[in-house]
Amino acid sequence: MNSNRKNKNNTDNTATGVVAVDGNSVCADTSSSRHHTDKQLVRERFEASFGRYNRLAHVQQRICAELATLLQELKRAGQGSKIKRVMEVGRGTGFLTSRLVTIWPEAEWFLNDIATSAGKYVAKYVAGADVDWLWGDAEEIGFPGDLDLVVSASTVQWFDDMPAFVAK
């Protein structure tokens, strides 16, 4: 969000994108052609808020439900029936993960998040599934080969270079 308003610290947001995570601001410098997200701050804020996240993130829950419905429809139409290796980027507390494992229960899962404490929230959804945990910034880590599906619900807004990520 770019605005000429003062934020809660009474500083000017004109050249800074400010995004809230659980009411806390994470700034990205948008004064140049490329912005830079403070990934360490993003990780710290999510780590601190995971205990409350499921109660508060209503929009994210709805996004995940709608995305899962679309993916289920693709599978029913035969377009997703051969998906065997799935990577979820930024899976957080598992809103999308919990739905996807019911669509493709036999798939091999590669679950990514920048915040390692998220694993304890997701483990219950993937019990018995073939899971590899990929911790770290999805823009920086390597991807497994031969993926059939790479999916993310509410993570790409934190990326600094979307074209480079998509090229991976």
Side-chain angles (χ1 to χ4, degrees), residues 80-100:
S81 60
K82 295 181 180 168
I83 291 177
K84 302 292 182 211
R85 292 172 52 91
V86 180
M87 180 171 177
E88 184 181 356
V89 175
R91 47 106 185 98
T93 60
F95 293 155
L96 185 57
T97 310
S98 64
R99 291 167 171 87
L100 294 181

Side-chain angles (χ1 to χ4, degrees), residues 6-168:
K6 302 286 183 180
N7 64 21
K8 67 182 179 182
N9 297 324
N10 202 34
T11 58
D12 189 355
N13 288 337
T14 304
T16 305
V18 179
V19 181
V21 177
D22 194 30
N24 297 300
S25 296
V26 178
C27 298
D29 179 4
T30 58
S31 59
S32 65
S33 62
R34 292 181 61 183
H35 74 282
H36 174 73
T37 303
D38 184 339
K39 302 287 181 84
Q40 181 176 338
L41 185 57
V42 170
R43 181 183 45 76
E44 289 170 1
R45 296 285 166 86
F46 274 107
E47 294 268 3
S49 68
F50 277 142
R52 301 179 305 276
Y53 194 77
N54 287 356
R55 287 191 328 262
L56 302 173
H58 303 288
V59 171
Q60 289 80 0
Q61 289 180 33
R62 190 166 147 203
I63 290 167
C64 291
E66 290 182 23
L67 180 54
T69 298
L70 290 171
L71 291 168
Q72 180 68 51
E73 289 172 6
L74 285 174
K75 183 178 180 186
R76 282 190 199 125
Q79 295 175 333
S81 60
K82 295 181 180 168
I83 291 177
K84 302 292 182 211
R85 292 172 52 91
V86 180
M87 180 171 177
E88 184 181 356
V89 175
R91 47 106 185 98
T93 60
F95 293 155
L96 185 57
T97 310
S98 64
R99 291 167 171 87
L100 294 181
V101 297
T102 64
I103 299 171
W104 293 287
E106 302 300 321
E108 182 178 4
W109 294 92
F110 300 91
L111 302 177
N112 161 260
D113 205 276
I114 198 167
T116 58
S117 68
K120 67 183 175 186
Y121 298 97
V122 177
K124 62 185 171 191
Y125 302 125
V126 295
D130 185 2
V131 176
D132 287 307
W133 303 94
L134 303 175
W135 302 112
D137 180 350
E139 287 188 281
E140 302 296 326
I141 64 170
F143 280 20
D146 299 322
L147 293 168
D148 300 310
L149 176 66
V150 176
V151 63
S152 184
S154 299
T155 301
V156 297
Q157 74 266 14
W158 304 111
F159 288 179
D160 293 329
D161 190 350
M162 182 59 119
F165 174 78
V166 171
K168 285 171 95 171

